[in-house]
């Protein structure tokens, strides 16, 4: 089992406004710099604690996650982190030029000595508003973008691409990725169509914030669809992102999370009509009653064992929770690193 | 040498024979002459789409017997001359790519542009054609669908290495039947390539959103 620390880069001060987009006037310029420096230190701390990966994501226009360009943050990490892999989970395809993404990821793979992992996503519902993409086409755009990037990384000759959403007459990516044929790639498998897409293209499956029963169901479907395509995924091909909180004891963990919930549907204040227009059927957009991993080290080890039994080989953990302070997050990471991680690598 | 020719002007189609090889030609449109070899259904769909700007001559070859592609290409070159074409573009669809490519090696001065759609594996080409690829002078476009698992993409890469001016184009979501799978995605670049050759890589479409 690989453990990934989700370096979410939250704004390093409190912002009470939960509107999306959040007004830039509320962003203190000095705090911008402090946020980036603090997040890099947190990533280095995760590496020191033994996390296998540090992950970054792409989000826009809000203080929750300050990496509108995960590539730039990852570039900084490549020059400071020496061991752990850097996982871009991930670039948002509908918002991007896929060839530019292929080029930048190849640069990152070279800069990190071949330590890049990537998950291509279509974005949370609000993200589709960022550059005014059509939400009804975001899945198809993402899938075409992924196929184009895989082709750009592997074709030995310059080529053109006549797509539905992307059209290029000359593609010839330099530098090539250090990893051959390319960095490990995941796509979202929260919906059944996406599971089939991952199986058809022989790429990894990433799930996020689903209940364990749904994780098991998606992984089973992934195995069935892959068998139809003539291959057999392993646990290394499955990634699951969730909230985690580890304390010295179950009782301490329960006190820290304090009965708070996270409702992914209402994280932001957005005009309801707009939300209805962009959300669609997204099974991960739900209310989460407690972190998926929650408790003292022994309990958390059992929970990780269940996850492994469900076919998951990579877990990406966010230590952010509404009632958990920044200092408690660091402590939670530390308990995870010192008391849990040494025991999971052979799972 | 027995030669016969039967005209049907209303349908703009004809059949004739050269050295025992019988040819059928269906003609549509006006403009730059484009000879098409290969799969009948694909050729018809292609002709319908190209006839606005081109004089499309879809050629079928009957009764070719045991002739090798290179020998057949010599006869086809005479057939094209008989139709009255001096300089023309040629499109090969699937197995028709073999004859189109052979013609481009035999009569390089006559070929304006060469376009190959879903070509077969290199091993299926006549060895003499493969040996003569360096003689092709026409700007070449090779198109393959991203869902084509036949080995066409490997052929495309080899041609890019061996031909002097060769552009490759993947058609997303299409299988071997490129034209019927994604008609617009094929006709647009083919029309552009016939008109502009290698310069089709330059975008002249306006990027203004609103004036």
């Amino acid at each position: 089992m690989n453990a990934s620390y989700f370096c979410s880069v939250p704004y390093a001060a409190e912002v009470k406004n939960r509107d999306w987009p959040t007004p830039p006037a509320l962003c203190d310029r000095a705090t911008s710099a402090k946020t980036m420096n603090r997040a890099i230190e947190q990533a280095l701390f995760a590496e020191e604690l033994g996390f296998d990966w540090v992950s970054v994501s792409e989000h826009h226009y809000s203080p929750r996650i300050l990496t509108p360009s995960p590539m730039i943050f990852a570039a900084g990490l490549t020059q400071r982190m020496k061991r752990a892999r850097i996982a871009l989970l991930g670039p948002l395809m509908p918002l991007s030029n896929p060839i530019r993404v292929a080029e930048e990821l190849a640069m990152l793979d070279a800069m990190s000595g071949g330590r890049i992992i990537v998950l291509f996503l279509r974005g949370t519902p609000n993200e589709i508003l960022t550059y005014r993409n059509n939400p009804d086409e975001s899945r198809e755009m993402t899938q075409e973008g992924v196929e184009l990037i895989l082709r750009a990384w592997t074709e030995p000759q310059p080529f053109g691409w006549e797509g539905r959403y992307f059209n290029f007459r000359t593609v010839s990516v330099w530098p090539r990725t250090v990893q051959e044929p390319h960095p490990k790639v995941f796509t979202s498998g929260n919906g059944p169509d996406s599971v089939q897409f991952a199986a058809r293209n022989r790429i990894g499956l990433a799930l996020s914030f689903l209940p364990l029963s749904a994780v098991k169901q998606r992984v089973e479907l992934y195995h069935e669809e892959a068998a139809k395509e003539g291959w057999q995924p392993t646990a290394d091909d499955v990634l699951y992102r969730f909230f985690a909180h580890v304390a010295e004891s179950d009782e301490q963990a329960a006190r820290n999370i304090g009965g708070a919930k996270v409702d992914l549907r209402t994280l932001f204040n957005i005009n309801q009509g707009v939300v209805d227009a962009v959300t669609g059927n997204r099974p991960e957009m739900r209310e989460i009653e407690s972190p998926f991993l929650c408790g003292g080290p022994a309990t958390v080890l059992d929970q990780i064992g269940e996850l492994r039994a469900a076919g998951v080989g990579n877990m990406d953990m966010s230590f952010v929770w509404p009632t958990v302070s920044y200092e408690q997050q660091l402590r939670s990471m530390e308990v995870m690193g010192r008391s849990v991680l040494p025991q999971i690598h052979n799972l | 040498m027995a030669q016969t020719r039967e005209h049907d002007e209303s349908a703009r189609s004809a059949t004739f024979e050269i050295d025992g090889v019988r040819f059928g030609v269906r003609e549509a449109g006006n403009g730059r002459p484009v000879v098409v070899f290969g799969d009948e259904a694909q050729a018809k769909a292609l002709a319908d789409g190209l006839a606005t700007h081109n004089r499309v001559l879809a050629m079928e070859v009957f009764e070719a017997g045991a002739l090798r592609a290179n020998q057949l290409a010599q006869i086809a070159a005479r057939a094209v001359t008989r139709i009255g074409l001096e300089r023309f573009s040629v499109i090969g669809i699937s197995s028709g790519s073999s004859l189109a490519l052979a013609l481009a090696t035999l009569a390089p001065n006559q070929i304006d542009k060469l376009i190959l759609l879903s070509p077969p594996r290199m091993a299926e080409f006549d060895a003499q054609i493969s040996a003569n690829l360096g003689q092709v002078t026409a700007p070449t476009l090779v198109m393959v669908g991203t869902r084509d698992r036949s080995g066409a993409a490997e052929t495309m890469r080899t041609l890019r290495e061996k031909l002097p001016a060769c552009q490759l184009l993947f058609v997303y979501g299409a299988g071997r039947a490129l034209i019927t799978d994604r008609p617009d995605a094929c006709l647009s670049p083919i029309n552009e390539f016939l008109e502009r050759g290698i310069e089709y890589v330059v975008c002249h479409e306006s990027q203004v959103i609103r004036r």
Side-chain angles (χ1 to χ4, degrees), chain A residues 72-193:
Chain A
I72 289 178
F73 195 79
L77 294 180
T78 64
Q79 302 306 293
R80 301 285 301 277
M81 286 168 48
K82 301 301 176 200
R83 176 192 57 80
R85 290 180 169 270
I86 299 165
L88 291 107
L89 314 178
L92 304 182
M93 282 294 93
L95 280 62
S96 306
N97 174 333
I99 300 303
R100 181 78 177 192
V101 170
E103 291 177 318
E104 291 182 351
L105 288 169
M107 281 182 71
L108 287 172
D109 205 42
M111 291 169 73
S112 66
R115 286 183 291 146
I116 294 301
I117 291 163
V118 62
L119 159 62
F120 296 112
L121 291 170
R122 59 175 169 145
T124 54
N126 58 295
E127 306 297 351
I128 208 73
L129 303 172
T130 307
Y131 303 146
R132 200 169 181 251
N133 293 106
N134 181 345
D136 300 334
E137 295 176 337
S138 65
R139 178 184 285 122
E140 281 197 6
M141 283 184 85
T142 300
Q143 294 185 348
E144 183 181 331
V146 172
E147 287 198 35
L148 174 51
I149 289 170
L150 293 173
R151 188 74 71 174
W153 278 340
T154 52
E155 272 304 315
Q157 296 293 331
F159 66 92
W161 181 269
E162 196 71 31
R164 293 196 173 91
Y165 299 99
F166 304 106
N167 185 315
F168 297 93
R169 290 282 159 83
T170 309
V171 178
S172 191
V173 168
W174 281 71
R176 290 176 98 180
T177 60
V178 170
Q179 296 177 81
E180 189 175 357
H182 53 71
K184 178 76 183 169
V185 169
F186 293 88
T187 59
S188 168
N190 282 352
D193 287 357

Side-chain angles (χ1 to χ4, degrees), chain A residues 132 140 143-145 147-148 151 154-165 168-170 197 200-201, chain B residues 145-147 149 153 156-157 160-161 167-173 181-182 184-186 188-189 192 200-201:
Chain A
R132 200 169 181 251
E140 281 197 6
Q143 294 185 348
E144 183 181 331
E147 287 198 35
L148 174 51
R151 188 74 71 174
T154 52
E155 272 304 315
Q157 296 293 331
F159 66 92
W161 181 269
E162 196 71 31
R164 293 196 173 91
Y165 299 99
F168 297 93
R169 290 282 159 83
T170 309
F197 175 79
R200 191 169 65 243
N201 287 282
Chain B
T146 57
R147 296 201 174 183
R149 304 278 182 257
M156 181 161 100
R157 293 173 196 121
R160 161 85 196 187
E161 287 182 73
Q167 293 286 319
L168 314 184
L169 187 62
F170 282 105
V171 181
Y172 174 66
D181 281 357
R182 291 202 59 214
D184 292 344
C186 293
S188 171
E192 272 189 74
Y200 100 133
V201 298

